[in-house]
Amino acid sequence: MTEDDVPLWRLYLLRAMYLLVSVGLALSFWPALLHHSDLWAQRRGEMAAMLVGLSFLCVWGLRYPLQMLPLLIFELVWKIVWIVAFAYPLWQRGAMTPGVEESFYACLAGVVITPLVLPWRYIAHHYVSKPGQRWR
């Protein structure tokens, strides 16, 4: 499967997803990254820096939607991991806070939307069945 086999509407859908991720992360984390307390930096600094970096990389996805697919796959995987490993156990114990609940719904939206946007046949061909690059 080549890039030409991916329909143009799918490329625009991917671009819209990259834009959504970039803008969403920009609105959520850039202000805190610029103006934060030491306590916030100690508790959430690494996560915020990683997500701001992801938002910058997603801008490249507007130009190269297929080449930047690993970003959207990463976005899907980390959200699934967070829901399964953190949010679900908290929910089971009745220990969800309003902040965790808000994050849960934001992650759940991504877990529902992202698989609908991803070109799964292209991913299967280029990331699963295609031979890996040589080691030597």
Side-chain angles (χ1 to χ4, degrees), residues 44-84:
R44 301 192 61 168
E46 290 123 346
M47 178 198 60
M50 189 266 313
L51 291 174
V52 167
L54 179 65
S55 74
F56 280 120
L57 291 173
C58 280
V59 172
W60 273 339
L62 298 173
R63 183 173 172 117
Y64 304 108
L66 294 176
Q67 289 89 330
M68 301 306 284
L69 276 174
L71 293 176
L72 294 182
I73 295 168
F74 171 73
E75 183 80 358
L76 177 63
V77 169
W78 83 255
K79 287 179 178 181
I80 291 171
V81 169
W82 185 84
I83 288 171
V84 170

Side-chain angles (χ1 to χ4, degrees), residues 22-33:
S22 288
V23 171
L25 290 174
L27 294 174
S28 299
F29 289 97
W30 288 3
L33 196 71

